[in-house]
Amino acid sequence: MDQRKRELEQATNKFVEYLKSKSLKLTQQRLDILEVFLRAKTHVSAEELFKSLHNSHPGIGYSTVYRTLKLLKDADIAKENYFRDGFIRYESSFNRDHHDHIICVKCDEIFEFENDEIERLQEQVAASIGFNIVDHQLEIYGVCQKFPDCPNLKEKK
């Protein structure tokens, strides 16, 4: 079994257990949303996920997608991000290490990065003021090197 299938199976099992613990129904629609969400290569809004599902799963409504994303977040399979574009964007948090984001303000491209030195500095700053970090999110906004030739910018027009 390849890594992707294994992760989908593990995430599905975790989601099933979460739904059972809350006495919620496991539906095929929820499983389909989970699968498409985990295959997404970007940070997706509920609307974007709905649009990507619409052709292959026309019976799944927007509110079902939105509610399922909230359940995935509650089950620690998805993480909500509040970027400047005003949309809540979701990314998989299943079997993923902490990372931070650099976002282009022109084309909305989101770059993920990990940096141990930045993490250490954040811990030092927090400790220096007697603060225990329980979670954090670092976002850096700028203009990517591809601008004005960024392919994402052309797609938006």
Side-chain angles (χ1 to χ4, degrees), residues 108-127:
D108 297 326
E109 180 80 16
I110 301 169
F111 303 90
E112 296 179 350
F113 71 96
E114 296 174 21
N115 186 295
D116 292 337
E117 186 174 349
I118 289 174
E119 296 302 317
R120 277 192 299 277
L121 287 171
Q122 291 174 127
E123 289 288 338
Q124 286 175 359
V125 169

Side-chain angles (χ1 to χ4, degrees), residues 15 30 33-34 37 44-50 62-75 77-80 88-91:
F15 192 44
R30 287 177 173 166
I33 293 166
L34 171 65
F37 170 71
V44 294
S45 67
E47 183 177 344
E48 290 166 339
L49 187 58
F50 168 73
Y62 176 79
S63 59
T64 302
V65 171
Y66 180 79
R67 286 191 306 265
T68 302
L69 282 170
K70 291 291 187 187
L71 291 171
L72 292 173
K73 179 188 82 75
D74 293 343
I77 296 170
K79 183 176 184 345
E80 288 181 339
I88 299 172
R89 297 198 173 275
Y90 296 85
E91 66 178 313

Side-chain angles (χ1 to χ4, degrees), residues 70 80-85 87-89 137 139 141:
K70 291 291 187 187
E80 288 181 339
N81 293 291
Y82 298 86
F83 299 128
R84 284 187 180 175
D85 63 4
F87 292 98
I88 299 172
R89 297 198 173 275
Q137 182 172 313
E139 298 168 12
Y141 292 89

Side-chain angles (χ1 to χ4, degrees), residues 4-146:
R4 198 160 194 75
K5 276 188 173 180
R6 196 173 314 117
E7 278 192 7
L8 178 60
E9 185 178 305
Q10 291 170 346
T12 300
N13 291 340
K14 184 174 184 176
F15 192 44
V16 168
E17 288 304 312
Y18 174 79
L19 293 173
K20 280 183 186 176
S21 76
K22 299 295 182 186
S23 300
L24 298 170
K25 284 185 182 180
L26 173 65
T27 65
Q28 188 59 52
Q29 288 183 332
R30 287 177 173 166
L31 290 174
D32 292 341
I33 293 166
L34 171 65
E35 182 176 352
V36 172
F37 170 71
L38 290 175
R39 281 187 296 163
K41 294 185 177 13
T42 61
H43 301 73
V44 294
S45 67
E47 183 177 344
E48 290 166 339
L49 187 58
F50 168 73
K51 285 178 182 176
S52 70
L53 280 156
H54 189 66
N55 288 338
S56 58
H57 301 84
I60 297 177
Y62 176 79
S63 59
T64 302
V65 171
Y66 180 79
R67 286 191 306 265
T68 302
L69 282 170
K70 291 291 187 187
L71 291 171
L72 292 173
K73 179 188 82 75
D74 293 343
D76 291 326
I77 296 170
K79 183 176 184 345
E80 288 181 339
N81 293 291
Y82 298 86
F83 299 128
R84 284 187 180 175
D85 63 4
F87 292 98
I88 299 172
R89 297 198 173 275
Y90 296 85
E91 66 178 313
S92 173
S93 60
F94 188 76
N95 288 345
R96 294 206 52 207
D97 292 331
H98 170 77
H99 60 273
D100 296 304
H101 301 97
I102 298 177
I103 301 117
C104 179
V105 298
K106 297 292 185 182
C107 69
D108 297 326
E109 180 80 16
I110 301 169
F111 303 90
E112 296 179 350
F113 71 96
E114 296 174 21
N115 186 295
D116 292 337
E117 186 174 349
I118 289 174
E119 296 302 317
R120 277 192 299 277
L121 287 171
Q122 291 174 127
E123 289 288 338
Q124 286 175 359
V125 169
S128 74
I129 58 173
F131 200 80
N132 292 319
I133 297 175
V134 294
D135 191 18
H136 76 281
Q137 182 172 313
L138 175 63
E139 298 168 12
I140 300 170
Y141 292 89
V143 178
C144 72
Q145 292 179 346
K146 295 183 276 187

